[in-house]
Amino acid sequence: MSPDGVARRLIPASAGVLVMSGLTLLASAAGWRLLSIIGAVLTLLLAVASLVAVRPWLRGAQGLPAQDGEDGAAFLESLPSPSLLVSKDGVILGNNRLVGELLPALGEAAYGLAGQRLDEAFLPPYFGNWRPLLQQALKEGKPLESRHEQYFLENQSGICRVWISPVEQGSFPGKSLLIAIQDISKEAAERAALLEASEREAGIFEGVPVKIAVLDRNFRLVRCNQSMMQWIYDTGGPEEAALSGLPALDIMPQEFRADWKHILRRVLVEGRAFEQPRVHQEVKGVDFFHRVRLHPLTDEQGSVREALLLFEDVTEYVRLERRLAETTDYLNLLIESLNDGFYAMDAQGRFSFCNQAFLDMLGISGSDELFQKEATEIVMPDESKKVERMMERRRRGEKVFFETFLRRQGDIPLPVQISSAPLFRAGRFMGIVGIAHDLSERRRLEAMVERSHQDLEKAYEELSVLDKMKSDFIAIASHELRTPLSIIKGYSDAFQYGELGDLSSFQMDKIKIMNARADQMTKIINDLLDVTRLEEGRLVGERWPAPVDGLIINAVSEYKSRAAKCGQELRYAVEENLPPVSVDVWRVHQVMENLIGNAIKFTPEGGLIEVAARSASEPGMIEIEIRDTGPGIPASEQRKLFTMFYQVETDSTRSAGGLGLGLVISKGIVEGHGGHIWVESETGTGSSFKFTLPVSKED
């Protein structure tokens, strides 16, 4: 093809490229995104068409016939792009005027490039080193295309596409090379913009948390994002390779099949969106809920070209909604199950909610009779001012707790206790909630308690009189009994010890029995007097420091002969270096007499009784123990041992008699010293009575 033919083809194409580029820029400036994209695509197609037109000529350039200088210059000027003719060594042989337009910095000098080296004339910032490109074109012997050659000027930068083609020129020895340069800056920018838009669209398409599919006018799948693709696969649909062209009905929930034609008409013909807010599907035994939407996509003429299918997962929302409904049901059930009345009031102080218990308190059958009433309308008239004060306090944000009287039908007062609190939202008073507790039963019980209290006070006064009479009787009886007992005891001792003459053995036995019974009566009288002193708090007298071993030895020595007569062994053991105790010696001796006497009484012949003293685990106390090998005390009996007039039922107690006051008195004496007394026993293994006494603080 001749250069003129090439020019005739390329000049209109170049003009078309320029026109389309201008239109594209105008559309972009006007905000017509779709038109600007279409213009960019058409511009790119025209540019490619022009390159296709010049490529065969460039590839056949090496077979061009030799031309003289004028013909070569005309040939270069006929080319539609900046072009140079260079030798194989890179010396410029000629160039067209478009080179000067490409290199504005050279100005008119662009026409005097002949004879210069290509690397010197086109130094950066225009292009890089030419030598490798020239050598590669000569070596391959065919046109060489180099894309994306960048240049940088003071006010602009851009990208060029360069063709290097070997040619035969008769005017110059050896091979020459034709270099054609095309500025593709706009094309590259448009391509980059399209790529960026495509990447942005893909990012949005994949980034949104919604399953998206694009459908054509036949409602067949064009493309979808990964979320939708995975959903289709999970619900039994085909894999990715078979998705293209898949009918949308195959991936829609089952409930849409009956109305599918109606849905198609709505979207395709009427151009309206379709939405189903909650669609249930079960996948692998798990329930899922989606909001399904179909949006038509129209062109400039308003015709539907595509449709968007959106599946928005609302499963968690549905679960929360159900949970909220369940919670609300539970709350309503709880409120209705309350025995107390529950109510709510709005910001104006009118009732807006209540349970059945509150209606029952008022004697109202339906809530409509209560709603829109104010608090002062349901209380007794004389309680209105109090209720108004409480309303004002709640409006100020206070919780209130007060008693009032509700007005039942028939103006019957009902005493209630009100506990209520204000409701605020975003700092704004919204209303009041409260609970009303019926006080009728409590008032009735309070009256009963008051009457019972009065009865008890009266009974207590009577008991106090009787107790005083008892104490007085014991004191008088003891005093009156002591005198004849002392006379009987004196004569018994005189007869027993021969002071009143000799007696026969029979008479002596009777005198001894009489003397023992007199001693028993004396002990009973003394115990009764001690109980009286215990109740009056004067059982323990003045306390003095006393050695522990002395207390133990005195008690053991007094009962040793008695134990021997019963065939028992009585022994003691005292820990060394025990400090003295602060005690009323006679009273502590009385405790030990009671405990050792009981041990002798309950221990069978051949048994062992041990009295021991040691430091107690409680600081500042001494522990004394009396252990025997008797029958033991059942656990059920141990709790009653230290109560008045109680005795364990055994043959020994029935024969020994007594009132059962010894342990009670002993407990009073020990506790009067600040110690405590207890028993440890198991049936068949004997018993151990222990008590503690305080260490003396005197040096």
Side-chain angles (χ1 to χ4, degrees), residues 453-520:
H453 179 69
Q454 294 175 358
D455 294 341
L456 287 174
E457 284 186 343
K458 184 178 179 180
Y460 177 76
E461 292 175 358
E462 294 176 355
L463 286 174
S464 298
V465 173
L466 292 175
D467 185 65
K468 186 175 184 307
M469 291 175 62
K470 177 208 69 173
S471 299
D472 293 344
F473 171 76
I474 291 175
I476 294 171
S478 300
H479 177 73
E480 294 299 327
L481 289 173
R482 276 177 178 272
T483 302
L485 277 176
S486 61
I487 295 173
I488 294 171
K489 175 67 174 173
Y491 281 114
S492 297
D493 288 339
F495 279 115
Q496 184 174 349
Y497 295 107
E499 296 177 1
L500 298 178
D502 295 331
L503 298 175
S504 65
S505 59
F506 175 79
Q507 293 173 330
M508 183 62 68
D509 291 338
K510 300 302 180 184
I511 289 295
K512 289 181 179 179
I513 292 173
M514 183 175 65
N515 199 5
R517 296 305 182 191
D519 290 339
Q520 187 176 0

Side-chain angles (χ1 to χ4, degrees), residues 336-349:
E336 288 299 331
S337 64
L338 291 174
N339 293 325
D340 293 335
F342 180 86
Y343 65 88
M345 307 175 75
D346 58 21
Q348 287 71 39

Side-chain angles (χ1 to χ4, degrees), residues 111-306:
Y111 292 96
L113 292 177
Q116 296 187 35
R117 297 189 65 82
L118 186 61
D119 286 342
E120 296 174 356
F122 281 85
L123 288 174
Y126 307 111
F127 298 107
N129 189 6
W130 289 89
R131 182 176 296 277
L133 298 177
L134 298 178
Q135 290 177 354
Q136 183 179 353
L138 290 172
K139 181 180 179 181
E140 295 180 359
K142 61 181 181 180
L144 174 68
E145 179 180 344
S146 176
R147 297 174 179 270
H148 307 298
E149 295 292 342
Q150 295 186 348
Y151 67 88
F152 302 91
L153 300 178
E154 292 182 0
N155 58 352
Q156 68 176 6
S157 62
I159 300 175
C160 286
R161 182 184 286 116
V162 177
W163 287 275
I164 303 175
S165 179
V167 297
E168 292 290 345
Q169 295 289 344
S171 303
F172 304 98
K175 290 186 176 181
S176 301
L177 296 103
L178 177 64
I179 299 177
I181 304 171
Q182 181 187 10
D183 193 333
I184 59 171
S185 301
K186 292 183 179 179
E187 176 189 339
E190 292 168 357
R191 185 184 295 110
L194 287 174
L195 180 61
E196 182 181 356
S198 177
E199 291 177 351
R200 188 183 301 112
E201 180 184 357
I204 296 174
F205 198 62
E206 293 293 343
V208 294
V210 178
K211 303 174 180 69
I212 305 175
V214 179
L215 310 177
D216 60 16
R217 277 190 56 82
N218 295 322
F219 264 42
R220 292 183 176 274
L221 192 65
V222 177
R223 66 183 185 277
C224 63
N225 61 3
Q226 290 293 329
S227 298
M228 177 63 83
M229 189 182 304
Q230 184 62 42
W231 175 253
I232 295 173
Y233 177 74
D234 290 342
T235 53
E239 297 185 1
E240 180 178 0
L243 285 180
S244 181
L246 183 71
L249 187 59
D250 291 350
I251 63 174
M252 296 292 283
Q254 187 70 28
E255 63 184 80
F256 293 119
R257 297 183 182 273
D259 297 329
W260 188 238
K261 290 183 179 180
H262 172 73
I263 296 171
L264 289 180
R265 177 176 178 81
R266 179 188 181 97
V267 177
L268 292 177
V269 179
E270 301 176 8
R272 294 189 299 152
F274 168 80
E275 179 175 342
Q276 189 74 9
R278 187 174 301 170
V279 179
H280 171 255
Q281 287 179 274
E282 184 177 336
V283 179
K284 299 177 181 178
V286 180
D287 291 328
F288 289 91
F289 295 87
H290 287 92
R291 179 184 290 114
V292 178
R293 287 175 287 179
L294 271 168
H295 289 276
L297 300 177
T298 59
D299 55 19
E300 290 81 357
Q301 289 75 31
S303 300
V304 177
R305 56 182 178 83
E306 288 181 336

